[in-house]
Amino acid sequence: MIHVRHLRLRSITATRIYGADIPLKAGLNIIQANNTSGKSTSLQAIIYALGLERSLGPQLTVPLPYAMRERIHPTEDAPYEHVLQSYVEIEIENGKKQSLIVRRDIVGGKDTKLVQTWNQGSLAQNGKRGEQRDFFVHDGGAAQREDGFHTYLTTFIGWELPVVPKFDGTEGPLYLEAITPMLFVEQKRGWSAIQGPFPTFLKIQDVARRVMEFLLDLDAGKIRRQRTELRNALASVSQRWADRRQLLEDQAQRVGRLRGIPMQPSAEFALAPDMKLELFRDEEWLPIDEVVSETKARISELEVAQIETTEDAAPELLKRLETARRAIDDLSAQAEVVRSELGAEHQEQQAIRARLDSLNADLRRNQDALKLRRLGSDLGQAAGEHVCPTCHQDVGNELLPAVENVGMGLEENITFVKSQIDLYGTALQSASQRVQDCQARYRGIEEALQERQAELRSLRQALLQPSSAPSRVVIEEIVRSQAFVERIGSLDEAASIAGAELQRLAKEWSELQDAMKRLPADELTWADREKIDAFQASVQSQLENYGFKSFQPTEIILSRDNFRPLAVTRGKDGALIEQEIGYEVSASDAIRLKWAYYLALLRLAAVKSTNHTGVVIFDEPGQQEIDAQALYALLANAAEQGATSQQVIVATSEPLDPVRSAVGSKAHIVSFPGFILQPLPTVEDLLG
Amino acid sequence: MSLPSQPERFSFRQRPIPVPGDLRIEWRVSLIVLMLGHSRAKQASLAKLHILNDAIRGKRSAHLLELVVNSKAGMMPWTFRIEPAFARAVDFVVGDKLADWTTSSNRSGLQLTAKGIALFEKLKAEDDVLTAEKDVLAVYAKSMTEGAVSLVIGSKRRAM
């Protein structure tokens, strides 16, 4: 909710101060003056003061005429004077009755990107102002950063702007500039479309629908937003999962392999994770705890065993020496096999990778070709229409037509390549998995080999010891085994910590998935439908008042996708036909429709909960030679808003008397006989 | 087991086959216009276009072009292929009056027409198409002079 309470313009020359002060009230306000006297200037000053000029177009030029920028004169015949300094100030009030004075300099003052505000005071009474705070507009972040004026203004209005998708794939807030055209109808371009026209440079996808959904405060938009948020949260959980999984996998790969962690979080993992760390021992994969307990058992067995002397142990030592030698030969052979297997797997992996690379390049080129079509005929006939520029025969859509066959259409081709990429992507995943497996097995064998070699060395040394000395073999094995248990044990611990973390992530993921499933479908809810029906009924009843002729007013309905008006007629066979409103309505009826649409949207805010600001501004609604009766009907209709707390501001050049009789006492009329900007009395004038 | 007396009829329908993106007319015509547009005086010899084409189309690109720009006389740093599809695309470019035949350093070449230049500017402004290609061309199309091209394809060879 917002009201404009007062508007002040100042343009200062070397000799005097020109200015205009326009007090505004709740209900209908009419600024009446002749053409080229400054009505549009006054209304555009509102846009300028609030830093919303980009709603009129992407340029950052001041949307105000030269009287506020360069030269000014009090009457048409008087000589011009140069403007040395100028500014606008407006006072606005929000739904909580807090007022805000906003000042923005135009020339000769502070930077035009600066907006000064005071949180108390009244322009009409010229009294003391509250605390001053400066903001900036138009620099990056004006709508998102704390010292951006639009961030402040949004909060002041009491809005929470939705985040909407943009054409470049990113997201951003629904900027105030995008919403403004539904509240302020500017004189030059404003009347050219029934909705908007919305600025396109903001690159917001589906901007009409987003703005209308927001202004109407529809559930559908909120549901879509929630879905996007959930989707983002899901993506972030999946990413964290993938990172954590990778980290653990890297650790595990140093000794063995990890099993039972899916690539993506899953509901099953959240409830009953079945994660296994396995080591390659004695030609098979064994779970880590089994290996650890086996090794521990062996250690305790060794610890209780009597330590024999070398002499006693010799025959046993020799036998073990032989076993160790055989084991080493065996393991070396195995290592060789696995190594060549690894080489083959590596090659396959590389081949798939190369194929994927070329598929990706192909996809990119086909997609580029599709995008290039938007250049249409600029590309020439061959590329644009697939017709030979010289002989005008069909050239197909490719450069080297493959004999008899017809080339796929671009869209089909892109889908085809994408499905191939999917296929090869999966193949690459499983190839990588196999490579990892091979590597882990190789490492397992290597480890066993080293262990056996160490054993062999220690057996040899043991045999060389004096015959009465205690045998070292057992002691060395104990030490080796303990070191192994310690190393593996610490990894097991790390794995269980990671496992708990992954399980938490999977839980989070399941909850998000659940929330996603519980969201209703992306369509209008009952409450939404009621709102739109009321909106539509109000448009229809106003059209009746304004003398809309091109269709029966009841034939005008609102589209359910972006809520633009459509006409429904009956075809010859009696079926209902929805048609866009374009050339079918006369120019003046399009203007009537625009009035009806904007006032209906405003009026809806009085009976349903919407995000409308409660203020609508029409600059010169008497467009397209519209008949005066319709205009007076509009004004009378708008004056009815006076009963509620809404505000309509209209600038018109219609003669004062009929305007006055049309609205009676229900409107606040500010009339200017000449130029709106007039020299203000100086101190000397006042003193006489 | 009895066979149905009247066998069901088979019907064959020709399905379209996939086309590599670099054989799409849109793609290639745009690429040639970009090559010319990024070259000096908006013109380039056919030889140069072939070299750029081969480098961009294959998976080699920038560092090979670097070799051409800095290479010595008569040494083509890679065996480059002359692609028939490219010649057809060149014909389309000329047929559509995007470029005209001209002579550049004694070799036949192409020069963009006003229409071609307009298309080039549009292509440059579209910032989500042909991005990788534009990056390479912006650097090498200009720095690869006809002199460098003459050097690498042999000084005695003339128009190709």
Side-chain angles (χ1 to χ4, degrees):
Chain A
M1 264 295 294
I2 194 165
H3 275 186
V4 185
R5 301 259 310 240
H6 195 98
L7 186 57
R8 170 174 293 167
L9 288 81
R10 288 290 183 270
S11 200
I12 303 163
T13 68
T15 56
R16 47 193 160 177
I17 300 174
Y18 288 80
D21 272 278
I22 305 174
L24 298 161
K25 296 183 174 165
L28 174 64
N29 294 271
I30 299 175
I31 301 174
Q32 190 278 335
N34 287 331
N35 277 323
T36 64
S37 54
K39 296 184 306 294
S40 292
T41 311
S42 324
L43 293 188
Q44 293 201 349
I46 300 178
I47 290 288
Y48 179 75
L50 298 179
L52 292 168
E53 62 266 31
R54 289 198 309 171
S55 62
L56 311 173
Q59 318 84 356
L60 283 178
T61 49
V62 176
L64 292 173
Y66 56 81
M68 294 299 288
R69 290 183 286 119
E70 285 162 19
R71 54 207 181 112
I72 188 166
H73 54 180
T75 55
E76 232 162 285
D77 319 319
Y80 278 111
E81 289 179 78
H82 285 285
V83 174
L84 302 179
Q85 194 191 341
S86 61
Y87 62 86
V88 296
E89 280 185 335
I90 72 168
E91 181 188 334
I92 52 180
E93 185 185 88
N94 66 10
K96 294 181 195 150
K97 300 279 168 211
Q98 294 165 326
S99 68
L100 182 74
I101 296 176
V102 181
R103 166 175 170 149
R104 192 168 167 208
D105 286 349
I106 303 164
V107 291
K110 297 199 166 61
D111 190 327
T112 54
K113 282 184 179 168
L114 188 83
V115 170
Q116 293 168 277
T117 68
W118 292 266
N119 63 5
Q120 267 169 37
S122 148
L123 283 180
Q125 286 154 19
N126 252 339
K128 200 169 163 288
R129 296 182 179 186
E131 189 189 328
Q132 188 200 329
R133 208 174 145 187
D134 293 351
F135 295 96
F136 67 90
V137 283
H138 300 318
D139 278 340
Q144 288 175 59
R145 285 220 305 271
E146 192 153 327
D147 51 352
F149 179 60
H150 286 177
T151 316
Y152 184 71
L153 184 59
T154 309
T155 323
F156 183 77
I157 299 173
W159 273 351
E160 205 172 302
L161 292 180
V163 177
V164 293
K166 306 192 13 172
F167 281 118
D168 55 10
T170 59
E171 292 190 321
L174 183 67
Y175 294 105
L176 289 180
E177 285 99 332
I179 304 171
T180 311
M182 285 309 298
L183 311 172
F184 181 98
V185 184
E186 177 257 349
Q187 188 184 357
K188 293 191 185 77
R189 289 175 57 239
W191 296 98
S192 62
I194 290 162
Q195 279 178 327
F198 299 104
T200 51
F201 74 98
L202 297 168
K203 298 205 163 91
I204 296 172
Q205 280 185 29
D206 239 349
V207 60
R209 176 174 177 167
R210 306 287 175 213
V211 169
M212 291 307 292
E213 265 175 7
F214 173 69
L215 282 179
L216 291 165
D217 195 22
L218 296 185
D219 297 333
K222 286 180 232 159
I223 292 170
R224 177 157 0 92
R225 183 66 215 145
Q226 278 171 11
R227 173 158 299 126
T228 322
E229 271 164 16
L230 281 176
R231 208 173 287 139
N232 290 347
L234 274 172
S236 132
V237 169
S238 292
Q239 188 54 47
R240 267 149 59 208
W241 169 279
D243 290 348
R244 195 67 192 88
R245 182 182 185 280
Q246 188 60 46
L247 192 70
L248 183 57
E249 192 144 77
D250 289 347
Q251 280 177 333
Q253 265 188 10
R254 273 179 246 139
V255 290
R257 70 175 187 187
L258 205 56
R259 278 290 178 267
I261 306 182
M263 296 299 283
Q264 286 290 318
S266 72
E268 193 187 351
F269 195 93
L271 296 175
D274 183 22
M275 188 181 88
K276 279 194 301 258
L277 192 57
E278 294 179 330
L279 302 185
F280 196 70
R281 303 274 285 188
D282 305 326
E283 293 178 49
E284 59 178 335
W285 288 104
L286 295 173
I288 191 166
D289 39 357
E290 204 171 295
V291 176
V292 169
S293 64
E294 250 173 41
T295 317
K296 276 186 179 159
R298 173 81 184 138
I299 293 173
S300 45
E301 199 179 292
L302 290 171
E303 271 170 347
V304 295
Q306 277 269 289
I307 295 180
E308 296 170 305
T309 59
T310 309
E311 192 171 1
D312 291 341
E316 172 70 16
L317 286 180
L318 282 172
K319 212 189 283 169
R320 282 179 57 191
L321 193 68
E322 188 49 38
T323 329
R325 265 202 198 112
R326 234 178 290 131
I328 288 172
D329 289 346
D330 207 30
L331 285 169
S332 314
Q334 276 181 35
E336 202 45 54
V337 171
V338 175
R339 196 164 22 214
S340 70
E341 202 179 318
L342 185 61
E345 294 289 1
H346 256 307
Q347 249 171 20
E348 180 173 349
Q349 195 186 15
Q350 265 164 12
I352 297 177
R353 244 189 220 132
R355 176 81 188 126
L356 259 178
D357 280 353
S358 70
L359 277 170
N360 276 321
D362 193 25
L363 178 65
R364 201 165 39 77
R365 285 168 181 174
N366 267 303
Q367 282 170 336
D368 278 353
L370 189 64
K371 287 179 198 153
L372 285 166
R373 285 200 177 159
R374 22 174 217 242
L375 294 173
S377 61
D378 286 327
L379 279 176
Q381 283 191 315
E385 300 153 33
H386 299 150
V387 167
C388 172
T390 315
C391 65
H392 302 290
Q393 305 224 11
D394 186 31
V395 292
N397 54 11
E398 57 184 312
L399 279 171
L400 272 188
V403 219
E404 291 293 294
N405 282 316
V406 187
M408 279 185 189
L410 266 172
E411 289 87 351
E412 188 187 354
N413 206 147
I414 286 173
T415 321
F416 174 79
V417 176
K418 273 189 183 156
S419 66
Q420 288 226 318
I421 289 179
D422 277 354
L423 184 71
Y424 278 94
T426 321
L428 182 62
Q429 249 178 38
S430 66
S432 310
Q433 179 88 61
R434 286 199 304 276
V435 166
Q436 274 178 14
D437 220 87
C438 263
Q439 278 169 339
R441 259 160 59 210
Y442 186 69
R443 267 190 305 274
I445 292 170
E446 285 263 270
E447 188 139 323
L449 197 58
Q450 277 165 14
E451 206 174 292
R452 287 299 193 170
Q453 276 163 345
E455 191 188 352
L456 187 73
R457 268 198 306 280
S458 86
L459 284 169
R460 277 196 188 128
Q461 278 168 0
L463 279 169
L464 292 177
Q465 287 205 331
S467 52
S468 57
S471 167
R472 290 170 35 166
V473 180
V474 175
I475 300 167
E476 273 189 27
E477 191 179 343
I478 293 177
V479 172
R480 260 203 325 272
S481 302
Q482 262 165 353
F484 175 74
V485 167
E486 221 157 89
R487 192 152 52 88
I488 295 296
S490 74
L491 179 72
D492 196 26
E493 207 169 296
S496 71
I497 292 171
E501 216 174 306
L502 285 170
Q503 189 175 5
R504 221 184 40 202
L505 281 174
K507 274 207 184 105
E508 204 176 314
W509 184 85
S510 304
E511 278 157 19
L512 288 170
Q513 284 284 7
D514 188 43
M516 185 82 126
K517 291 258 154 49
R518 270 186 283 123
L519 268 189
D522 256 359
E523 49 192 34
L524 300 174
T525 60
W526 268 112
D528 288 351
R529 278 167 205 284
E530 269 179 29
K531 264 184 211 170
I532 293 156
D533 288 344
F535 184 14
Q536 181 176 307
S538 164
V539 170
Q540 291 172 349
S541 80
Q542 288 184 60
L543 285 179
E544 192 95 49
N545 275 337
Y546 304 153
F548 184 80
K549 293 267 167 19
S550 302
F551 290 94
Q552 290 293 322
T554 48
E555 286 172 347
I556 299 293
I557 60 156
L558 300 182
S559 118
R560 301 289 142 142
D561 57 4
N562 67 8
F563 318 107
R564 68 192 183 285
L566 294 173
V568 208
T569 46
R570 244 174 228 291
K572 280 182 191 144
D573 52 356
L576 287 175
I577 307 169
E578 280 184 7
Q579 59 187 120
E580 294 291 330
I581 295 178
Y583 296 110
E584 287 77 13
V585 300
S586 64
S588 61
D589 268 355
I591 302 296
R592 290 183 177 92
L593 187 52
K594 182 150 183 132
W595 295 346
Y597 193 76
Y598 275 56
L599 280 187
L601 187 61
L602 175 68
R603 214 162 255 187
L604 188 67
V607 288
K608 303 258 179 212
S609 92
T610 73
N611 280 324
H612 202 287
T613 47
V615 55
V616 165
I617 302 173
F618 287 128
D619 191 359
E620 202 60 79
Q623 298 278 321
Q624 301 291 348
E625 319 262 301
I626 207 157
D627 58 285
Q629 285 318 310
L631 184 60
Y632 299 145
L634 165 77
L635 293 178
N637 214 332
E640 295 300 318
Q641 310 280 341
T644 71
S645 55
Q646 297 175 330
Q647 191 179 34
V648 180
I649 304 171
V650 174
T652 180
S653 52
E654 288 293 317
L656 184 58
D657 291 339
V659 168
R660 192 166 273 157
S661 63
V663 294
S665 60
K666 285 182 186 155
H668 170 63
I669 302 178
V670 191
S671 171
F672 294 91
F675 285 159
I676 290 182
L677 281 163
Q678 284 299 321
L680 300 180
T682 57
V683 179
E684 290 96 73
D685 290 342
L686 290 175
L687 292 175
Chain B
M1 190 179 130
S2 66
L3 288 167
S5 54
Q6 193 71 43
E8 270 188 51
R9 283 173 58 112
F10 286 104
S11 68
F12 292 94
R13 199 150 60 95
Q14 207 173 32
R15 309 289 305 190
I17 55 158
V19 179
D22 54 353
L23 288 185
R24 295 281 180 189
I25 301 175
E26 298 85 338
W27 192 82
R28 193 63 74 88
V29 164
S30 307
L31 188 64
I32 295 177
V33 169
L34 281 175
M35 287 177 187
L36 289 169
H38 279 297
S39 295
R40 270 179 215 169
K42 311 276 183 231
Q43 67 172 28
S45 66
L46 266 187
K48 174 175 169 181
L49 291 178
H50 271 290
I51 292 175
L52 287 174
N53 174 58
D54 193 44
I56 284 182
R57 212 174 60 89
K59 272 179 57 184
R60 7 188 180 203
S61 62
H63 76 280
L64 285 179
L65 291 171
E66 181 93 42
L67 288 176
V68 174
V69 173
N70 302 319
S71 65
K72 301 208 171 62
M75 295 264 291
M76 184 65 205
W78 81 89
T79 41
F80 85 105
R81 277 165 292 185
I82 307 272
E83 196 208 347
F86 179 71
R88 195 156 181 247
V90 165
D91 288 342
F92 283 142
V93 169
V94 176
D96 269 322
K97 309 236 171 356
L98 295 168
D100 278 332
W101 290 110
T102 175
T103 309
S104 167
S105 311
N106 256 341
R107 278 196 301 272
S108 55
L110 290 178
Q111 182 166 30
L112 284 184
T113 58
K115 189 178 165 198
I117 292 173
L119 175 58
F120 170 66
E121 293 302 333
K122 278 201 178 157
L123 286 171
K124 263 206 317 196
E126 300 275 334
D127 46 12
D128 60 340
V129 276
L130 296 164
T131 43
E133 289 81 2
K134 278 186 210 161
D135 289 348
V136 173
L137 285 177
V139 177
Y140 291 101
K142 191 151 270 176
S143 55
M144 188 192 296
T145 57
E146 294 300 334
V149 173
S150 302
L151 272 178
V152 293
I153 63 166
S155 50
K156 280 183 187 154
R157 255 182 268 176
R158 284 281 183 256
M160 29 180 301

